Amino acid sequence: MTTTQCGESINNMMKGYLDASTSLVRFIAAFQSALDAQNEKTEFRVYQQNNFNILYKTTSPFERQSASILTTFSLKKTQEQLMQSFMYKCEEILG
């Protein structure tokens, strides 16, 4: 962002917390509250992205079915095991 855009962004964020008669102590407290609210929104977006956007690692139908029934934690563990299973080598043993 350019300096002007950054300043405008901060101004818009602070309008909901302050007016012209706000003291410096109240300004600092309000600014901290605004920063905390912004951080909380960011953390929530990261949480949503990590827990609700399913990233498939293979084209396996097994993985797709697992995604529809397992929790996020269980799906990640299943994906790890599925990826590890691709490392096995298959050989035909003639007897």
Side-chain angles (χ1 to χ4, degrees), residues 8-80:
E8 287 297 320
S9 176
I10 292 171
N11 286 343
N12 287 333
M13 182 176 74
M14 295 307 297
K15 281 182 183 177
Y17 292 90
L18 306 170
D19 62 22
S21 64
T22 303
S23 69
L24 183 59
V25 172
R26 184 139 190 253
F27 168 79
I28 292 171
F31 190 75
Q32 185 62 47
S33 292
L35 288 176
D36 291 343
Q38 191 70 23
N39 288 339
E40 189 174 303
K41 286 179 188 176
T42 302
E43 287 177 16
F44 184 67
R45 275 187 246 126
V46 169
Y47 167 78
Q48 284 182 315
Q49 184 177 8
N50 290 339
N51 292 294
F52 298 108
N53 294 339
I54 298 171
L55 299 174
Y56 295 107
K57 296 185 177 189
T58 70
T59 57
S60 168
F62 177 74
E63 182 182 17
R64 300 227 185 274
Q65 183 181 8
S66 298
S68 69
I69 58 176
L70 297 176
T71 64
T72 305
F73 178 80
S74 297
L75 176 61
K76 287 180 182 179
K77 292 295 184 187
T78 301
Q79 286 174 325
E80 288 172 15

